[in-house]
Amino acid sequence: MRLITSPRRFFAAIVPLALVLAVGSTPSAVVATDGPPPSVDELGRPLIRNSGQAYLNAGLPVAARVADLLRRMTLEEKVGQMTQAERGAVTNDATLVTTWRLGSVLSGGGSVPTPNTPTAWADMVDRFQAAALQTRLQIPLLYGVDSVHGHGNLLGATVFPHNIGLGSTWDPALVRRIEHVVSEETRATGPQWAFAPCICVARDTRWGRTYESFSESPWLVSQFASAIEGFQGSNLAATDRVLASAKHFAGDGDTEFGSAAGDYTIDQGITVTNRQDFARIDLAPYVPAVRTYNTGTVMPSFSSVDWTEDGVGNPIKMHANRELITSVLKGKLGFAGFVISDWEGIHQLPGDWATQVRTGVNAGIDMFMEPNSYQSFETTLLDEVRAGRVSQARIDDAVRRILTKKFELGLFEKPYTDRTHLGEVGSAQHRALAREAVAKSQVLLKNAGGLLPLKKNAKIYVAGRNADNMGNQAGGWTLSWQGASGRDRIPGNTILEGIQQVAGSVTYSEDGSAPTAGSDVAIVAVGETPYAEGFGDVGGPLWAYDPEDAGVPREPKSLDLQPADQAVVDKVCGAVAKCVVLVVSGRPQVIPPAQLQKIDALVASWLPGSQGEGVADVLFGAKPFTGKLSHTWPRTAAQEPINTGDPTYNPLYPFAWGLRTSP
């Protein structure tokens, strides 16, 4: 998911609307057992009125309940269920949820209530839910959010390593445990739906979404489809489970550099391939996602596919690709959930607005993420159905799929937020799991002379801009779409703080200007600053629209270390006898041979999230280094795209490389 094309307009529209939502913070009310059932709970929120309708009989099979409800619905009500609006578009007037019979609302990156607390989130979602229950048939609302490495929009949530780090653990069971925690923190605060996991196969690390990919290997990514089980469990109605969304279907990590439209260089570009290779690489993770883990939803990619069988030059946008969405995903793979478009995904299709709507629906998309155009979407789709250009059968299929998940989530029995686990958001237990994940994600690339693990009584000199910057180590999709730098951006521990908890003598100088005399070992943390999607493309556009940026564009994205990073490595590693370099980044960074010679130990730390002490655990031997590269580490940027199995494969560090230490 992404924000709109003009980020300025997004923040101008959303930020002022982040109001305190005055709804009580107690759990859902219990219906009285004496006398007629009440129409509202003790907070004045509407309750579902059960007067014998079959669809409200929890004892009936879900399919029977869906059939009964579908039979009662008007076309307008069905189209409403297919529509998702952004919270900013309905926050000032929640009755819009009722009027337009919305099936879903989402929070885009950085779209949050004020204050940004667990209780305020639950209150906000319940306020929208109350509006949904004012509709004639009282169909509950689905609320979606990008819980891509934790419930990242929420201040205080546990923020886990991004997928590139989790992929380097080679531990699908760990990822299953992580996503269970993420689902618990997400649902406790209201949302019942996570736009995750991303099961893309990133084949070119110049892509700005590389850190969202578990691996360049379709086999390894397929193993991490276990994330879906972590989100959904075996009972979607449980208070600690959410609906998952496998994304982005399909080929988003396999697009060609230079094929993207606009200012992007690779994101939302074109996958040029044949059907056999597409199935082997890009479709492979969707097989276990659908057949083994029964993902509840699938999100199409912004990218296109251009089949070489019929000649290159006629790409098809994935949001328009009926062959892949309907014939392959729903047909061949047997996907029984529903397809949710990406952010205004159909707006990129050829033709006028009516053609875009018609094409998307007929391709097989069931729900449409129309953050600010939801009203126009509904009226246009109604016109298309009435004109016979979209069949009633296609509408019924879409709505049947959506309603099935709402029943499975238990929303008709318990529409409001169950706050049982609210106090566990960001808990010590959850942060301990994040710390474990950080330690297991660290990849030891070089360890000359067995320098690591370090002795706790050594005199440590710490430098580099990513040593004490929580925003940089968390990356994008943290409190906002693009994320932002900042030492105290989210609760947790920076890498420096983790080191200080262990080592007895620590000197810190971000730029290496403090005297190094007497230091035994230097630890220099360098790498990238936050970005997301196409703004992270190498050679892509700069970002200056986050309020925290104060209008200053962010640094250009590159596979090479930034000049200041190279300078601090040279300075500190040239002055201290033993030197450890941590690369805190969303993808491999090129280390020139001359610089590599000055580095005794090199660690890929990726984007560890809120618990930087997990890095210290492996540096000082509390935990062993066990991580292995999930993405090839190139010698030069010119080698990209480079992937394991290539005929001329000659990287600096190959796929699956990782030195081990003993605790």
Side-chain angles (χ1 to χ4, degrees):
M1 199 196 73
R2 58 166 298 193
L3 299 185
I4 54 180
T5 303
S6 171
R8 291 188 188 276
R9 287 198 289 113
F10 177 83
F11 283 104
I14 297 300
V15 175
L17 296 178
L19 307 175
V20 176
L21 300 169
V23 178
S25 59
T26 58
S28 302
V30 177
V31 179
T33 56
D34 296 327
S39 59
V40 297
D41 64 12
E42 73 273 14
L43 301 175
R45 302 178 302 192
L47 295 172
I48 293 179
R49 301 178 299 275
N50 188 340
S51 55
Q53 303 96 318
Y55 74 91
L56 295 179
N57 183 350
L60 291 177
V62 167
R65 300 177 72 183
V66 170
D68 179 71
L69 178 53
L70 196 63
R71 177 181 60 81
R72 300 170 186 267
M73 295 174 71
T74 65
L75 177 60
E76 289 78 8
E77 288 166 334
K78 293 174 181 178
V79 168
Q81 285 301 300
M82 297 173 66
T83 309
Q84 182 184 66
E86 216 286 329
R87 61 161 289 282
V90 295
T91 289
N92 276 357
D93 184 5
T95 64
L96 290 167
V97 174
T98 313
T99 302
W100 291 90
R101 309 169 187 87
L102 291 175
S104 181
V105 172
L106 83 149
S107 277
S111 181
V112 301
T114 301
N116 187 4
T117 64
T119 296
W121 270 87
D123 291 346
M124 173 186 70
V125 174
D126 284 353
R127 177 172 177 251
F128 294 137
Q129 191 67 280
L133 297 190
Q134 295 283 8
T135 57
R136 181 178 72 94
L137 294 171
Q138 296 190 285
I139 302 174
L141 193 76
L142 259 178
Y143 200 98
V145 68
D146 284 286
S147 294
V148 297
H149 67 140
H151 188 1
N153 266 341
L154 169 62
L155 181 63
T158 309
V159 178
F160 291 89
H162 271 293
N163 285 354
I164 192 169
L166 296 182
S168 294
T169 69
W170 288 57
D171 190 346
L174 172 65
V175 170
R176 186 183 297 111
R177 290 165 55 206
I178 287 170
E179 304 304 11
H180 186 188
V181 165
V182 176
S183 66
E184 180 181 292
E185 294 197 3
T186 300
R187 190 146 189 183
T189 59
Q192 319 95 346
W193 184 8
F195 300 129
C198 186
I199 54 173
C200 53
V201 182
R203 306 289 285 179
D204 189 328
T205 60
R206 292 173 293 184
W207 186 35
R209 306 193 79 148
T210 296
Y211 67 78
E212 295 186 56
S213 171
F214 289 113
S215 179
E216 70 188 39
S217 161
W219 172 84
L220 188 55
V221 174
S222 296
Q223 306 309 301
F224 285 106
S226 61
I228 295 166
E229 185 176 16
F231 282 120
Q232 296 186 165
S234 59
N235 178 16
L236 274 176
T239 59
D240 57 350
R241 300 295 184 179
V242 295
L243 195 64
S245 183
K247 64 182 190 181
H248 302 89
F249 185 83
D252 51 336
D254 202 12
T255 57
E256 290 195 350
F257 190 83
S259 67
D263 293 334
Y264 295 171
T265 56
I266 188 168
D267 189 37
Q268 304 185 23
I270 303 171
T271 302
V272 181
T273 185
N274 58 66
R275 284 174 171 81
Q276 182 178 355
D277 286 344
F278 189 81
R280 178 177 58 87
I281 296 172
D282 305 303
L283 280 179
Y286 289 91
V287 177
V290 171
R291 294 179 175 173
T292 303
Y293 299 111
N294 192 31
T295 183
T297 66
V298 168
M299 182 182 292
S301 173
F302 283 118
S303 62
S304 306
V305 63
D306 192 347
W307 302 122
T308 57
E309 287 94 337
D310 58 3
V312 175
N314 53 342
I316 305 170
K317 277 284 186 182
M318 201 59 61
H319 279 70
N321 203 314
R322 179 177 172 82
E323 175 192 355
L324 290 174
I325 294 175
T326 297
S327 300
V328 175
L329 178 64
K330 292 181 175 180
K332 184 177 180 180
L333 296 185
F335 174 60
F338 69 88
V339 175
I340 169 71
S341 82
D342 208 331
W343 184 283
E344 294 185 341
I346 61 171
H347 293 224
Q348 298 186 11
L349 302 184
D352 60 15
W353 177 230
T355 301
Q356 292 170 334
V357 170
R358 176 173 70 251
T359 301
V361 176
N362 287 338
I365 300 174
D366 303 304
M367 183 182 285
F368 291 77
M369 192 183 292
E370 289 297 323
N372 301 297
S373 306
Y374 66 94
Q375 297 179 13
S376 175
F377 170 78
E378 288 196 23
T379 56
T380 302
L381 180 52
L382 286 169
D383 288 343
E384 291 300 296
V385 176
R386 289 165 180 154
R389 291 184 287 267
V390 174
S391 71
Q392 183 68 58
R394 173 77 270 272
I395 298 297
D396 286 350
D397 173 63
V399 177
R400 185 179 296 108
R401 291 169 177 271
I402 294 165
L403 294 178
T404 297
K405 295 307 170 185
K406 291 189 175 185
F407 279 112
E408 290 176 355
L409 283 161
L411 297 181
F412 285 84
E413 286 68 55
K414 201 166 189 178
Y416 297 112
T417 303
D418 186 314
R419 308 185 187 203
T420 301
H421 300 290
L422 203 64
E424 298 172 35
V425 174
S427 67
Q429 182 180 7
H430 291 179
R431 292 184 181 275
L433 179 60
R435 179 175 182 170
E436 176 187 346
V438 173
K440 290 182 176 179
S441 71
Q442 303 298 291
V443 181
L444 183 56
L445 302 174
K446 179 181 179 180
N447 193 26
L451 176 59
L452 297 180
L454 302 173
K455 292 181 172 59
K456 297 179 182 179
N457 60 0
K459 294 180 180 179
I460 308 296
Y461 188 98
V462 180
R465 62 177 178 166
N466 285 354
D468 195 31
N469 194 304
M470 186 65 76
N472 287 359
Q473 74 183 47
W477 296 110
T478 308
L479 293 189
S480 63
W481 179 33
Q482 293 291 315
S485 300
R487 182 184 183 279
D488 301 311
R489 183 165 174 76
I490 57 173
N493 288 300
T494 65
I495 293 171
L496 172 65
E497 289 170 330
I499 293 170
Q500 290 171 331
Q501 291 174 12
V502 179
S505 174
V506 179
T507 298
Y508 171 62
S509 176
E510 180 177 334
D511 62 359
S513 60
T516 59
S519 299
D520 298 318
V521 180
I523 301 173
V524 186
V526 294
E528 295 186 302
T529 53
Y531 56 81
E533 301 194 39
F535 287 98
D537 284 356
V538 169
L542 306 185
W543 170 265
Y545 307 115
D546 193 290
E548 295 169 274
D549 291 331
V552 179
R554 299 188 183 187
E555 65 189 23
K557 297 301 175 280
S558 172
L559 292 189
D560 297 311
L561 288 175
Q562 296 293 323
D565 280 348
Q566 294 188 42
V568 74
V569 170
D570 288 339
K571 183 176 185 178
V572 176
C573 292
V576 181
K578 299 295 181 181
C579 190
V580 181
V581 170
L582 311 178
V583 182
V584 181
S585 64
R587 55 191 159 203
Q589 299 283 276
V590 172
I591 311 294
Q595 197 164 56
L596 187 60
Q597 289 180 356
K598 303 175 185 178
I599 299 170
D600 298 286
L602 180 65
V603 179
S605 288
W606 309 119
L607 298 172
S610 59
Q611 307 313 125
E613 66 269 39
V615 178
D617 285 339
V618 291
L619 290 178
F620 290 90
K623 300 285 185 181
F625 275 96
T626 58
K628 299 186 294 182
L629 287 179
S630 57
H631 293 71
T632 297
W633 199 285
R635 294 181 182 275
T636 68
Q639 284 188 310
E640 287 293 341
I642 181 172
N643 296 285
T644 181
D646 288 351
T648 57
Y649 190 65
N650 183 31
L652 181 62
Y653 298 109
F655 173 76
W657 175 267
L659 303 174
R660 300 177 72 92
T661 60
S662 300

